[in-house]
Amino acid sequence: MKKYFVIGNPISHSLSPKLHNFWFRKHNLNAKYEKLLLEKDNLNKIVQKVKTGEISGLNVTVPFKQLIIPCLEKLSPEAQNTQSVNTVYLENNKLVGHNTDIAGFELAIRHIKFDTSNKNVLILGAGGVVPSVISALKNLNTKNIFLMNRTKEKAQKIREKLEYIEIVDWGDIRDFDMIINATSLGLNKEDDLGLNFESIKKKILFYDLIYNPKETKFLKSARQMMHIVENGKMMFIYQAHQSFTLWHKVMPNIDKETITIVSE
Ligand code: ATR
């Protein structure tokens, strides 16, 4: 039986096993997918198990998406450009790191038919996932991409490679059309960004990359202000779908049943 893992720390919130195992059953694949809480010191040990074939593939989440890179032998262009890996597999006996977060976010925005080509989009945060979100927004021909992070230096570091983005001060809420929470704040239900969005008078899209909990404080307050709100569920499904297709050469349907699995 082929074995797959999602590695991270923390990892308890991950719904990847639920989704991948559901698709295994749907497609009669003899495989098992589990989550693994990992300490940094054990990262290379796990990756080496992909090399020996003991493990057939890994998904990688916070805080290992960048840390895993030195353990790998080849990066896809997407992983190289973002310095972020969320999918690992063996190809021609080489350990390959790929990034399916970019496609995941892009397809999630396409899924809701939100056209960003005439939009001012603000991203909150400058952690590991942010270069992927920026790449996806670029693929979507977004008009203007703004980046705001509590620690401004980290946002500036991202801009060094992606000069087309504009850095804004923490709290400088302008006339944005879409605001994306890409910080880790919200994983605990009571987490509060401490930002005030009341100056935004028109109806805009608030998007939270977090999908568990379903409604972060960020989304709840936006909903109460009558904005459009989306959590990271579809991004999560699409990035998983991309990994699944890569590993198994099978494309599961993303139907109501699939979405329900993640929503339960
Ligand atoms: P990763 O492992 O994905 O790189 P990270 O570097 O811990 O994650 O990034 C988490 C993001 O959430 C950062 O943008 C962080 O802001 P700082 O760069 O200022 O640390 C943001 N974040 C975490 N806690 C926050 C808080 N209390 N207020 C505002 N932003 C916060």
Side-chain angles (χ1 to χ4, degrees), residues 2 7 13 28 31 40 50 81-82 115 152 154 156 162 167 170 173 188 200 208 211-212 224 231 242-243 245 259 262:
K2 287 188 169 180
I7 55 172
H13 67 281
N28 281 319
K40 190 175 170 240
V50 179
N81 290 339
T82 52
D115 178 10
K152 199 174 180 181
K154 269 171 81 177
Q156 279 159 341
L162 305 167
I167 310 295
W170 185 253
I173 303 299
N188 299 312
I200 298 173
D208 204 319
Y211 61 91
N212 188 12
Q224 285 166 345
N231 69 18
Q242 297 274 319
S243 299
T245 305
I259 296 171
V262 177

PDB file of all heavy atoms in Angstrom, residues 2 7 13 28 31 40 50 81-82 115 152 154 156 162 167 170 173 188 200 208 211-212 224 231 242-243 245 259 262:
ATOM      1  N   LYS A   2       0.539   2.200  -0.865  1.00  0.00           N
ATOM      2  CA  LYS A   2       1.326   3.437  -0.929  1.00  0.00           C
ATOM      3  C   LYS A   2       0.957   4.349   0.243  1.00  0.00           C
ATOM      4  O   LYS A   2      -0.216   4.453   0.600  1.00  0.00           O
ATOM      5  CB  LYS A   2       1.056   4.157  -2.248  1.00  0.00           C
ATOM      6  CG  LYS A   2       1.698   3.468  -3.429  1.00  0.00           C
ATOM      7  CD  LYS A   2       1.558   4.330  -4.662  1.00  0.00           C
ATOM      8  CE  LYS A   2       2.426   3.779  -5.785  1.00  0.00           C
ATOM      9  NZ  LYS A   2       2.324   4.580  -6.986  1.00  0.00           N
ATOM     10  N   ILE A   7       2.929  16.945   6.406  1.00  0.00           N
ATOM     11  CA  ILE A   7       3.786  17.237   7.562  1.00  0.00           C
ATOM     12  C   ILE A   7       3.685  18.714   7.924  1.00  0.00           C
ATOM     13  O   ILE A   7       3.607  19.584   7.051  1.00  0.00           O
ATOM     14  CB  ILE A   7       5.262  16.845   7.295  1.00  0.00           C
ATOM     15  CG1 ILE A   7       5.799  17.513   6.009  1.00  0.00           C
ATOM     16  CG2 ILE A   7       5.411  15.326   7.203  1.00  0.00           C
ATOM     17  CD1 ILE A   7       7.297  17.321   5.801  1.00  0.00           C
ATOM     18  N   HIS A  13      -5.166  20.720  12.656  1.00  0.00           N
ATOM     19  CA  HIS A  13      -6.260  21.355  11.914  1.00  0.00           C
ATOM     20  C   HIS A  13      -6.387  20.842  10.475  1.00  0.00           C
ATOM     21  O   HIS A  13      -7.373  21.115   9.806  1.00  0.00           O
ATOM     22  CB  HIS A  13      -6.022  22.876  11.870  1.00  0.00           C
ATOM     23  CG  HIS A  13      -4.815  23.225  11.065  1.00  0.00           C
ATOM     24  ND1 HIS A  13      -3.536  23.112  11.548  1.00  0.00           N
ATOM     25  CD2 HIS A  13      -4.675  23.628   9.787  1.00  0.00           C
ATOM     26  CE1 HIS A  13      -2.666  23.452  10.613  1.00  0.00           C
ATOM     27  NE2 HIS A  13      -3.336  23.766   9.530  1.00  0.00           N
ATOM     28  N   ASN A  28     -10.676   3.723  -5.982  1.00  0.00           N
ATOM     29  CA  ASN A  28     -10.165   2.381  -5.671  1.00  0.00           C
ATOM     30  C   ASN A  28      -8.642   2.297  -5.665  1.00  0.00           C
ATOM     31  O   ASN A  28      -8.053   1.379  -6.226  1.00  0.00           O
ATOM     32  CB  ASN A  28     -10.703   1.359  -6.683  1.00  0.00           C
ATOM     33  CG  ASN A  28     -12.119   0.983  -6.326  1.00  0.00           C
ATOM     34  OD1 ASN A  28     -12.434   0.798  -5.149  1.00  0.00           O
ATOM     35  ND2 ASN A  28     -12.965   0.896  -7.334  1.00  0.00           N
ATOM     36  N   ALA A  31      -4.055   3.048  -1.214  1.00  0.00           N
ATOM     37  CA  ALA A  31      -3.139   4.020  -0.626  1.00  0.00           C
ATOM     38  C   ALA A  31      -3.726   4.573   0.662  1.00  0.00           C
ATOM     39  O   ALA A  31      -4.948   4.506   0.889  1.00  0.00           O
ATOM     40  CB  ALA A  31      -2.893   5.151  -1.614  1.00  0.00           C
ATOM     41  N   LYS A  40      11.447  20.015  13.511  1.00  0.00           N
ATOM     42  CA  LYS A  40      12.367  20.415  12.439  1.00  0.00           C
ATOM     43  C   LYS A  40      13.522  19.422  12.256  1.00  0.00           C
ATOM     44  O   LYS A  40      13.925  19.100  11.140  1.00  0.00           O
ATOM     45  CB  LYS A  40      12.911  21.810  12.779  1.00  0.00           C
ATOM     46  CG  LYS A  40      13.669  22.451  11.678  1.00  0.00           C
ATOM     47  CD  LYS A  40      14.086  23.881  12.042  1.00  0.00           C
ATOM     48  CE  LYS A  40      15.063  24.389  11.011  1.00  0.00           C
ATOM     49  NZ  LYS A  40      16.346  24.759  11.512  1.00  0.00           N
ATOM     50  N   VAL A  50      10.981   9.256   1.294  1.00  0.00           N
ATOM     51  CA  VAL A  50      10.425   9.378  -0.064  1.00  0.00           C
ATOM     52  C   VAL A  50      11.475   8.854  -1.044  1.00  0.00           C
ATOM     53  O   VAL A  50      11.161   8.157  -2.005  1.00  0.00           O
ATOM     54  CB  VAL A  50      10.037  10.844  -0.384  1.00  0.00           C
ATOM     55  CG1 VAL A  50       9.477  10.950  -1.799  1.00  0.00           C
ATOM     56  CG2 VAL A  50       9.023  11.374   0.635  1.00  0.00           C
ATOM     57  N   ASN A  81      10.412  29.793  -7.909  1.00  0.00           N
ATOM     58  CA  ASN A  81      10.076  31.223  -7.918  1.00  0.00           C
ATOM     59  C   ASN A  81       9.532  31.722  -6.590  1.00  0.00           C
ATOM     60  O   ASN A  81       9.706  32.881  -6.248  1.00  0.00           O
ATOM     61  CB  ASN A  81       9.038  31.520  -9.005  1.00  0.00           C
ATOM     62  CG  ASN A  81       9.650  31.386 -10.376  1.00  0.00           C
ATOM     63  OD1 ASN A  81      10.869  31.451 -10.530  1.00  0.00           O
ATOM     64  ND2 ASN A  81       8.803  31.153 -11.372  1.00  0.00           N
ATOM     65  N   THR A  82       8.847  30.849  -5.872  1.00  0.00           N
ATOM     66  CA  THR A  82       8.233  31.266  -4.606  1.00  0.00           C
ATOM     67  C   THR A  82       9.063  30.830  -3.400  1.00  0.00           C
ATOM     68  O   THR A  82       8.780  31.235  -2.280  1.00  0.00           O
ATOM     69  CB  THR A  82       6.822  30.649  -4.459  1.00  0.00           C
ATOM     70  OG1 THR A  82       6.934  29.233  -4.662  1.00  0.00           O
ATOM     71  CG2 THR A  82       5.839  31.226  -5.448  1.00  0.00           C
ATOM     72  N   ASP A 115     -13.279  38.666 -10.927  1.00  0.00           N
ATOM     73  CA  ASP A 115     -12.317  39.190 -11.891  1.00  0.00           C
ATOM     74  C   ASP A 115     -11.441  40.242 -11.209  1.00  0.00           C
ATOM     75  O   ASP A 115     -11.909  41.305 -10.830  1.00  0.00           O
ATOM     76  CB  ASP A 115     -13.099  39.806 -13.066  1.00  0.00           C
ATOM     77  CG  ASP A 115     -12.171  40.427 -14.094  1.00  0.00           C
ATOM     78  OD1 ASP A 115     -10.938  40.221 -14.003  1.00  0.00           O
ATOM     79  OD2 ASP A 115     -12.692  41.124 -14.997  1.00  0.00           O
ATOM     80  N   LYS A 152       7.187  45.295   8.758  1.00  0.00           N
ATOM     81  CA  LYS A 152       7.278  45.815   7.390  1.00  0.00           C
ATOM     82  C   LYS A 152       8.481  45.248   6.624  1.00  0.00           C
ATOM     83  O   LYS A 152       8.413  45.009   5.414  1.00  0.00           O
ATOM     84  CB  LYS A 152       7.374  47.341   7.464  1.00  0.00           C
ATOM     85  CG  LYS A 152       7.018  48.043   6.189  1.00  0.00           C
ATOM     86  CD  LYS A 152       6.985  49.551   6.372  1.00  0.00           C
ATOM     87  CE  LYS A 152       6.617  50.257   5.095  1.00  0.00           C
ATOM     88  NZ  LYS A 152       6.620  51.716   5.271  1.00  0.00           N
ATOM     89  N   LYS A 154       9.675  42.371   6.497  1.00  0.00           N
ATOM     90  CA  LYS A 154       9.400  41.085   5.848  1.00  0.00           C
ATOM     91  C   LYS A 154       8.648  41.298   4.527  1.00  0.00           C
ATOM     92  O   LYS A 154       8.875  40.598   3.550  1.00  0.00           O
ATOM     93  CB  LYS A 154       8.596  40.163   6.778  1.00  0.00           C
ATOM     94  CG  LYS A 154       9.518  39.287   7.616  1.00  0.00           C
ATOM     95  CD  LYS A 154       8.780  38.524   8.690  1.00  0.00           C
ATOM     96  CE  LYS A 154       8.099  37.277   8.221  1.00  0.00           C
ATOM     97  NZ  LYS A 154       7.464  36.553   9.348  1.00  0.00           N
ATOM     98  N   GLN A 156       8.960  44.023   2.746  1.00  0.00           N
ATOM     99  CA  GLN A 156       9.952  44.624   1.844  1.00  0.00           C
ATOM    100  C   GLN A 156      10.860  43.562   1.227  1.00  0.00           C
ATOM    101  O   GLN A 156      11.264  43.665   0.073  1.00  0.00           O
ATOM    102  CB  GLN A 156      10.774  45.676   2.596  1.00  0.00           C
ATOM    103  CG  GLN A 156      10.024  47.005   2.679  1.00  0.00           C
ATOM    104  CD  GLN A 156      10.517  47.904   3.787  1.00  0.00           C
ATOM    105  OE1 GLN A 156      11.171  47.456   4.736  1.00  0.00           O
ATOM    106  NE2 GLN A 156      10.203  49.188   3.678  1.00  0.00           N
ATOM    107  N   LEU A 162       9.719  40.715  -6.141  1.00  0.00           N
ATOM    108  CA  LEU A 162       8.457  40.939  -6.852  1.00  0.00           C
ATOM    109  C   LEU A 162       8.166  42.441  -6.828  1.00  0.00           C
ATOM    110  O   LEU A 162       7.337  42.919  -6.065  1.00  0.00           O
ATOM    111  CB  LEU A 162       7.328  40.150  -6.168  1.00  0.00           C
ATOM    112  CG  LEU A 162       7.585  38.645  -6.002  1.00  0.00           C
ATOM    113  CD1 LEU A 162       6.584  38.007  -5.058  1.00  0.00           C
ATOM    114  CD2 LEU A 162       7.566  37.928  -7.345  1.00  0.00           C
ATOM    115  N   ILE A 167       4.093  48.144  -1.093  1.00  0.00           N
ATOM    116  CA  ILE A 167       4.016  47.920   0.350  1.00  0.00           C
ATOM    117  C   ILE A 167       3.214  49.053   0.997  1.00  0.00           C
ATOM    118  O   ILE A 167       3.444  50.228   0.683  1.00  0.00           O
ATOM    119  CB  ILE A 167       5.433  47.897   0.989  1.00  0.00           C
ATOM    120  CG1 ILE A 167       6.374  46.958   0.220  1.00  0.00           C
ATOM    121  CG2 ILE A 167       5.359  47.548   2.482  1.00  0.00           C
ATOM    122  CD1 ILE A 167       6.010  45.514   0.259  1.00  0.00           C
ATOM    123  N   TRP A 170       1.132  49.017   8.007  1.00  0.00           N
ATOM    124  CA  TRP A 170       0.144  48.262   8.795  1.00  0.00           C
ATOM    125  C   TRP A 170      -0.935  49.224   9.278  1.00  0.00           C
ATOM    126  O   TRP A 170      -0.633  50.254   9.883  1.00  0.00           O
ATOM    127  CB  TRP A 170       0.851  47.593   9.982  1.00  0.00           C
ATOM    128  CG  TRP A 170      -0.035  46.694  10.792  1.00  0.00           C
ATOM    129  CD1 TRP A 170      -0.534  46.949  12.028  1.00  0.00           C
ATOM    130  CD2 TRP A 170      -0.492  45.387  10.429  1.00  0.00           C
ATOM    131  NE1 TRP A 170      -1.299  45.889  12.454  1.00  0.00           N
ATOM    132  CE2 TRP A 170      -1.286  44.906  11.495  1.00  0.00           C
ATOM    133  CE3 TRP A 170      -0.323  44.571   9.303  1.00  0.00           C
ATOM    134  CZ2 TRP A 170      -1.901  43.645  11.470  1.00  0.00           C
ATOM    135  CZ3 TRP A 170      -0.936  43.332   9.277  1.00  0.00           C
ATOM    136  CH2 TRP A 170      -1.713  42.880  10.359  1.00  0.00           C
ATOM    137  N   ILE A 173      -5.593  51.357   5.739  1.00  0.00           N
ATOM    138  CA  ILE A 173      -6.668  50.731   4.959  1.00  0.00           C
ATOM    139  C   ILE A 173      -7.196  51.733   3.928  1.00  0.00           C
ATOM    140  O   ILE A 173      -7.762  52.765   4.280  1.00  0.00           O
ATOM    141  CB  ILE A 173      -7.817  50.242   5.883  1.00  0.00           C
ATOM    142  CG1 ILE A 173      -7.271  49.268   6.938  1.00  0.00           C
ATOM    143  CG2 ILE A 173      -8.937  49.589   5.057  1.00  0.00           C
ATOM    144  CD1 ILE A 173      -6.633  48.005   6.405  1.00  0.00           C
ATOM    145  N   ASN A 188      -6.788  30.286  15.716  1.00  0.00           N
ATOM    146  CA  ASN A 188      -7.566  30.239  16.958  1.00  0.00           C
ATOM    147  C   ASN A 188      -8.733  31.200  16.792  1.00  0.00           C
ATOM    148  O   ASN A 188      -8.538  32.340  16.348  1.00  0.00           O
ATOM    149  CB  ASN A 188      -6.706  30.663  18.153  1.00  0.00           C
ATOM    150  CG  ASN A 188      -5.531  29.735  18.321  1.00  0.00           C
ATOM    151  OD1 ASN A 188      -5.689  28.519  18.299  1.00  0.00           O
ATOM    152  ND2 ASN A 188      -4.344  30.308  18.449  1.00  0.00           N
ATOM    153  N   ILE A 200     -13.999  51.300   4.754  1.00  0.00           N
ATOM    154  CA  ILE A 200     -14.370  50.789   3.434  1.00  0.00           C
ATOM    155  C   ILE A 200     -15.893  50.797   3.316  1.00  0.00           C
ATOM    156  O   ILE A 200     -16.590  50.044   3.983  1.00  0.00           O
ATOM    157  CB  ILE A 200     -13.808  49.370   3.208  1.00  0.00           C
ATOM    158  CG1 ILE A 200     -12.282  49.427   3.268  1.00  0.00           C
ATOM    159  CG2 ILE A 200     -14.270  48.792   1.879  1.00  0.00           C
ATOM    160  CD1 ILE A 200     -11.596  48.097   3.224  1.00  0.00           C
ATOM    161  N   ASP A 208     -10.195  34.734   3.357  1.00  0.00           N
ATOM    162  CA  ASP A 208      -9.274  34.225   4.373  1.00  0.00           C
ATOM    163  C   ASP A 208      -8.696  32.904   3.895  1.00  0.00           C
ATOM    164  O   ASP A 208      -9.450  32.012   3.500  1.00  0.00           O
ATOM    165  CB  ASP A 208     -10.004  34.021   5.716  1.00  0.00           C
ATOM    166  CG  ASP A 208      -9.036  34.061   6.879  1.00  0.00           C
ATOM    167  OD1 ASP A 208      -7.932  33.492   6.745  1.00  0.00           O
ATOM    168  OD2 ASP A 208      -9.375  34.673   7.910  1.00  0.00           O
ATOM    169  N   TYR A 211      -9.182  27.830   6.465  1.00  0.00           N
ATOM    170  CA  TYR A 211     -10.458  27.148   6.220  1.00  0.00           C
ATOM    171  C   TYR A 211     -10.956  26.410   7.452  1.00  0.00           C
ATOM    172  O   TYR A 211     -12.077  25.928   7.483  1.00  0.00           O
ATOM    173  CB  TYR A 211     -10.343  26.184   5.031  1.00  0.00           C
ATOM    174  CG  TYR A 211      -9.327  25.076   5.232  1.00  0.00           C
ATOM    175  CD1 TYR A 211      -9.694  23.854   5.783  1.00  0.00           C
ATOM    176  CD2 TYR A 211      -7.996  25.264   4.876  1.00  0.00           C
ATOM    177  CE1 TYR A 211      -8.755  22.846   5.977  1.00  0.00           C
ATOM    178  CE2 TYR A 211      -7.056  24.262   5.071  1.00  0.00           C
ATOM    179  CZ  TYR A 211      -7.443  23.057   5.615  1.00  0.00           C
ATOM    180  OH  TYR A 211      -6.510  22.071   5.815  1.00  0.00           O
ATOM    181  N   ASN A 212     -10.128  26.310   8.464  1.00  0.00           N
ATOM    182  CA  ASN A 212     -10.509  25.647   9.708  1.00  0.00           C
ATOM    183  C   ASN A 212      -9.906  26.433  10.866  1.00  0.00           C
ATOM    184  O   ASN A 212      -8.703  26.375  11.051  1.00  0.00           O
ATOM    185  CB  ASN A 212      -9.992  24.202   9.671  1.00  0.00           C
ATOM    186  CG  ASN A 212     -10.501  23.377  10.829  1.00  0.00           C
ATOM    187  OD1 ASN A 212     -11.403  23.803  11.542  1.00  0.00           O
ATOM    188  ND2 ASN A 212      -9.916  22.214  11.025  1.00  0.00           N
ATOM    189  N   GLN A 224     -20.473  40.793   8.996  1.00  0.00           N
ATOM    190  CA  GLN A 224     -21.378  41.696   9.732  1.00  0.00           C
ATOM    191  C   GLN A 224     -21.435  43.082   9.093  1.00  0.00           C
ATOM    192  O   GLN A 224     -22.416  43.796   9.232  1.00  0.00           O
ATOM    193  CB  GLN A 224     -20.942  41.781  11.200  1.00  0.00           C
ATOM    194  CG  GLN A 224     -21.321  40.512  11.960  1.00  0.00           C
ATOM    195  CD  GLN A 224     -20.633  40.390  13.314  1.00  0.00           C
ATOM    196  OE1 GLN A 224     -19.664  41.095  13.605  1.00  0.00           O
ATOM    197  NE2 GLN A 224     -21.128  39.482  14.155  1.00  0.00           N
ATOM    198  N   ASN A 231     -13.861  31.714   2.739  1.00  0.00           N
ATOM    199  CA  ASN A 231     -12.723  31.134   3.465  1.00  0.00           C
ATOM    200  C   ASN A 231     -11.850  30.330   2.492  1.00  0.00           C
ATOM    201  O   ASN A 231     -12.129  30.257   1.303  1.00  0.00           O
ATOM    202  CB  ASN A 231     -13.187  30.314   4.671  1.00  0.00           C
ATOM    203  CG  ASN A 231     -13.907  29.041   4.278  1.00  0.00           C
ATOM    204  OD1 ASN A 231     -13.794  28.568   3.153  1.00  0.00           O
ATOM    205  ND2 ASN A 231     -14.649  28.480   5.211  1.00  0.00           N
ATOM    206  N   GLN A 242      -4.512  19.284  -7.177  1.00  0.00           N
ATOM    207  CA  GLN A 242      -3.307  19.364  -8.013  1.00  0.00           C
ATOM    208  C   GLN A 242      -2.264  18.341  -7.550  1.00  0.00           C
ATOM    209  O   GLN A 242      -1.631  17.677  -8.357  1.00  0.00           O
ATOM    210  CB  GLN A 242      -2.698  20.773  -7.928  1.00  0.00           C
ATOM    211  CG  GLN A 242      -3.587  21.878  -8.450  1.00  0.00           C
ATOM    212  CD  GLN A 242      -3.464  22.082  -9.942  1.00  0.00           C
ATOM    213  OE1 GLN A 242      -2.377  22.038 -10.489  1.00  0.00           O
ATOM    214  NE2 GLN A 242      -4.574  22.299 -10.612  1.00  0.00           N
ATOM    215  N   SER A 243      -2.072  18.215  -6.225  1.00  0.00           N
ATOM    216  CA  SER A 243      -1.119  17.230  -5.703  1.00  0.00           C
ATOM    217  C   SER A 243      -1.574  15.822  -6.059  1.00  0.00           C
ATOM    218  O   SER A 243      -0.785  14.985  -6.500  1.00  0.00           O
ATOM    219  CB  SER A 243      -1.006  17.334  -4.170  1.00  0.00           C
ATOM    220  OG  SER A 243      -0.543  18.595  -3.793  1.00  0.00           O
ATOM    221  N   THR A 245      -3.487  14.748  -8.482  1.00  0.00           N
ATOM    222  CA  THR A 245      -3.367  14.487  -9.912  1.00  0.00           C
ATOM    223  C   THR A 245      -1.912  14.195 -10.300  1.00  0.00           C
ATOM    224  O   THR A 245      -1.623  13.301 -11.086  1.00  0.00           O
ATOM    225  CB  THR A 245      -3.907  15.699 -10.704  1.00  0.00           C
ATOM    226  OG1 THR A 245      -5.232  15.950 -10.246  1.00  0.00           O
ATOM    227  CG2 THR A 245      -3.951  15.452 -12.185  1.00  0.00           C
ATOM    228  N   ILE A 259     -16.883  18.852  -1.615  1.00  0.00           N
ATOM    229  CA  ILE A 259     -16.911  20.098  -0.856  1.00  0.00           C
ATOM    230  C   ILE A 259     -17.508  19.852   0.539  1.00  0.00           C
ATOM    231  O   ILE A 259     -17.023  20.400   1.533  1.00  0.00           O
ATOM    232  CB  ILE A 259     -17.665  21.196  -1.642  1.00  0.00           C
ATOM    233  CG1 ILE A 259     -16.880  21.503  -2.936  1.00  0.00           C
ATOM    234  CG2 ILE A 259     -17.822  22.471  -0.805  1.00  0.00           C
ATOM    235  CD1 ILE A 259     -17.588  22.407  -3.919  1.00  0.00           C
ATOM    236  N   VAL A 262     -15.081  18.505   3.185  1.00  0.00           N
ATOM    237  CA  VAL A 262     -14.214  19.513   3.793  1.00  0.00           C
ATOM    238  C   VAL A 262     -15.009  20.453   4.706  1.00  0.00           C
ATOM    239  O   VAL A 262     -14.444  21.090   5.601  1.00  0.00           O
ATOM    240  CB  VAL A 262     -13.488  20.302   2.672  1.00  0.00           C
ATOM    241  CG1 VAL A 262     -12.622  21.402   3.232  1.00  0.00           C
ATOM    242  CG2 VAL A 262     -12.639  19.348   1.846  1.00  0.00           C
TER     243      VAL A 262
END
